[in-house]
Amino acid sequence: MIGIFFGCAESITSWRAAGLGSVIESRTQEVSDVRSVIFDICSSEDRRVAGRVAVMVEALWKNRNDMVWNNEKEEASRLGWLAFHRWQEWFNIQQVPSNNNNLHHALTWSPPEEGWVKCNVDAGFNSLLGTTNRGWCVRGTGGNFIHAGVAWDSRKLSILEAEAMALKEAIQDSIALHLDRIIFESDSLNVVTALHSNASGRSEFHHVISSIRLLLSSFQNFEVKFVKRQANMVAHSLVKAVNSWARRSSMHNVPPCIALLINNEMS
């Protein structure tokens, strides 16, 4: 059992990719069972490290089960990177400052101010079809439907990459429609935080974030804000129904899957 989590070369690669190599390697030289390693970490390390370890253990166990039952597994270094960013997203949500204008806490969708439009964006996966799905919906001041777009493909992306890609595609779609004074709302705090920070990297996620920053720099009346999932249900519902359409679809009439939500959220 210890080999699954700590002992084999693949698991060590994952721990190092998650930035936890030093935390694990010294301990596995001294003890021979998982419980003792985890107990020592929880007793000796701070809550951040313990939390990251817990997420990494869960990721390794899920990866092991995917291999056993589905003959699929994540590459070791990528698994560690994904686990770190999953923990980071949870941690960021706990630290959201109440006075940050880019971070909203409303539990219901609100229409944009007069003269603006709002585009809600989301991403998700269809495990049965093996697709990565994206969807976005543009509405006006009274909540009236203006436009919706969807996209799906068979590329295997992380949730962070998918959320960033959805935002990028929504922005590109809005540019093609010549929309202006538009607020984009996403329920991915990591994506919004990355956009408004100076963070950089070589990952696909950071490449997409850089592309979005470049787009935004050319359109001063485009804003990106964070909202909770409850205020992003139209985009979320679109994502769940994405595979009903072609790989890329643009809609100027209200799709049936979101008609009731649109009606309920109109002011």
Side-chain angles (χ1 to χ4, degrees):
M1 180 64 72
I2 196 169
I4 296 173
F5 296 116
F6 309 121
C8 66
E10 277 193 326
S11 67
I12 292 298
T13 298
S14 296
W15 286 106
R16 288 173 177 170
L20 294 166
S22 61
V23 174
I24 295 300
E25 291 174 37
S26 60
R27 289 178 166 87
T28 55
Q29 296 171 5
E30 300 172 0
V31 297
S32 58
D33 65 280
V34 174
R35 179 177 296 181
S36 296
V37 173
I38 293 176
F39 178 79
D40 187 60
I41 290 170
C42 291
S43 301
S44 308
E45 304 287 350
D46 62 29
R47 294 179 63 186
R48 290 192 183 190
V49 172
R52 290 168 60 190
V53 168
V55 172
M56 189 69 244
V57 167
E58 181 187 29
L60 286 165
W61 183 249
K62 182 179 184 300
N63 202 44
R64 176 262 183 195
N65 288 340
D66 284 343
M67 183 61 190
V68 171
W69 299 108
N70 303 316
N71 199 31
E72 296 179 356
K73 70 174 183 177
E74 197 67 70
E75 188 265 333
S77 60
R78 179 176 168 81
L79 184 68
W81 181 86
L82 290 173
F84 172 77
H85 282 278
R86 181 182 176 188
W87 173 85
Q88 187 72 57
E89 184 160 46
W90 174 86
F91 180 79
N92 284 343
I93 290 173
Q94 313 309 308
Q95 307 300 313
V96 172
S98 59
N99 61 347
N100 191 324
N101 292 330
N102 294 312
L103 304 177
H104 287 177
H105 304 278
L107 297 181
T108 57
W109 184 83
S110 60
E113 295 179 0
E114 187 71 36
W116 286 77
V117 297
K118 183 175 284 189
C119 179
N120 287 83
V121 181
D122 202 8
F125 305 99
N126 186 319
S127 57
L128 292 177
L129 298 177
T131 60
T132 299
N133 302 343
R134 284 93 66 200
W136 53 93
C137 180
V138 182
R139 285 175 281 178
T141 303
N144 55 298
F145 176 86
I146 296 176
H147 173 75
V150 295
W152 61 268
D153 53 50
S154 299
R155 286 188 299 164
K156 189 173 184 180
L157 302 177
S158 72
I159 187 58
L160 282 177
E161 292 166 345
E163 294 278 9
M165 185 64 69
L167 179 58
K168 178 182 177 180
E169 290 172 322
I171 293 172
Q172 291 172 325
D173 196 25
S174 298
I175 293 171
L177 291 168
H178 304 290
L179 295 175
D180 191 24
R181 294 171 67 86
I182 182 167
I183 299 167
F184 297 90
E185 290 186 338
S186 168
D187 58 26
S188 174
L189 183 59
N190 262 9
V191 169
V192 177
T193 301
L195 277 175
H196 295 289
S197 73
N198 295 319
S200 62
R202 298 181 180 180
S203 67
E204 178 65 21
F205 172 69
H206 284 106
H207 175 73
V208 178
I209 290 296
S210 295
S211 298
I212 296 172
R213 286 184 187 140
L214 185 61
L215 288 171
L216 293 175
S217 68
S218 300
F219 294 89
Q220 299 302 313
N221 290 329
F222 283 12
E223 299 181 10
V224 178
K225 297 183 177 182
F226 167 76
V227 291
K228 292 191 175 182
R229 169 61 59 82
Q230 296 95 322
N232 203 39
M233 291 307 298
V234 163
H236 181 65
S237 298
L238 267 177
V239 167
K240 292 174 68 176
V242 160
N243 300 108
S244 303
W245 295 288
R247 285 178 178 266
R248 292 185 179 276
S249 297
S250 183
M251 292 160 277
H252 297 285
N253 294 313
V254 183
C257 64
I258 60 172
L260 183 59
L261 278 169
I262 291 284
N263 184 65
N264 290 342
E265 291 181 348
M266 287 182 69
S267 60

